[in-house]
Amino acid sequence: MIEVVIFIEKVSIFYKMLAIDNTNLQNVEEESWEDILKLENNNNTLLDATLLALKTGNLAPLIKEDLKYTIHSRRHKQGQEELKVEIPKEKIYELTVEEKIKIDRRREQNRQAAHRFREKKKSTSSLLFKKIQEQEADNMKKTNDVKELRAEKEQLQKMLFEHLLVCPNAKQCIRFQP
């Protein structure tokens, strides 16, 4: 009984500290408090809600518990049973044989389509890789041809310049364009 009184005092002090109208607590008779606290000794939800409200400064958990116990005490006064809320379990649906076959067929089709896509991607990438190699080889060949032609041009220009130094009459006949 001493624990009940201490608990009630803690709750009422908490309400006074937060300057909340505690009419709901005053409406609950002493007998109801004892019933509530008997239940409360089993799970300590009101005490936990009070402590949580003190720590966080959020009154929502405490107000919810207060409303729950107010409803419980009113139902108890009226001689009604405790309100029990049952949440129905989720129904587990079994697939029919036809649905399973359909799902398996879709999975197999998806696997085959994925395989075809991967093969097509591989062949496309290998074709592109071959094309790149051919283009690079052609580019290297052309680059070498350009180098050889430039070297040959320089050699021919050098030969022409040397010939012009030796043969003064050739200067008039040949137009030199570098």
Side-chain angles (χ1 to χ4, degrees):
M1 186 65 178
I2 295 172
E3 294 174 355
V4 172
V5 173
I6 293 171
F7 183 73
I8 292 171
E9 288 175 358
K10 286 181 182 179
V11 172
S12 63
I13 289 170
F14 175 73
Y15 272 106
K16 288 176 186 174
M17 276 179 27
L18 298 174
I20 294 175
D21 182 21
N22 58 0
T23 55
N24 286 337
L25 288 176
Q26 292 170 353
N27 290 338
V28 179
E29 297 176 3
E30 191 68 32
E31 300 166 5
S32 300
W33 270 110
E34 288 178 11
D35 291 340
I36 290 170
L37 290 173
K38 284 178 188 173
L39 292 171
E40 194 58 30
N41 286 336
N42 292 336
N43 58 14
N44 292 328
T45 56
L46 185 59
L47 181 60
D48 293 341
T50 305
L51 294 175
L52 181 63
L54 280 171
K55 286 180 185 176
T56 62
N58 184 4
L59 297 178
L62 188 59
I63 292 171
K64 285 179 184 178
E65 290 300 318
D66 182 34
L67 288 173
K68 184 169 87 174
Y69 290 123
T70 303
I71 292 168
H72 176 72
S73 66
R74 285 183 188 163
R75 289 183 64 83
H76 184 69
K77 278 184 194 178
Q78 295 171 356
Q80 296 176 346
E81 291 183 16
E82 188 174 330
L83 190 62
K84 294 180 182 176
V85 178
E86 292 183 23
I87 301 172
K89 294 182 180 179
E90 290 185 27
K91 294 180 180 177
I92 299 173
Y93 294 103
E94 297 269 338
L95 296 176
T96 64
V97 175
E98 296 162 351
E99 291 171 330
K100 288 179 182 179
I101 291 171
K102 188 176 181 181
I103 289 172
D104 289 341
R105 192 178 316 128
R106 282 187 182 169
R107 285 182 182 159
E108 184 59 33
Q109 286 175 348
N110 190 26
R111 279 189 210 106
Q112 290 173 355
H115 181 71
R116 285 192 308 269
F117 174 77
R118 284 190 293 270
E119 289 298 318
K120 185 177 178 183
K121 190 175 179 182
K122 282 180 187 176
S123 67
T124 305
S125 64
S126 66
L127 284 174
L128 289 174
F129 185 70
K130 286 179 184 177
K131 233 180 192 180
I132 289 170
Q133 285 181 333
E134 289 172 3
Q135 293 291 326
E136 285 177 348
D138 188 43
N139 191 24
M140 288 295 288
K141 183 180 176 254
K142 288 179 181 178
T143 304
N144 289 336
D145 288 346
V146 167
K147 285 180 183 177
E148 289 174 8
L149 289 172
R150 283 187 179 156
E152 187 179 346
K153 177 185 166 191
E154 286 178 17
Q155 184 183 7
L156 290 173
Q157 283 178 341
K158 190 175 182 182
M159 285 174 51
L160 179 63
F161 182 70
E162 289 175 1
H163 178 70
L164 289 175
L165 291 175
V166 176
C167 182
N169 292 336
K171 289 181 187 177
Q172 296 171 357
C173 298
I174 302 174
R175 292 183 183 170
F176 179 66
Q177 294 179 349

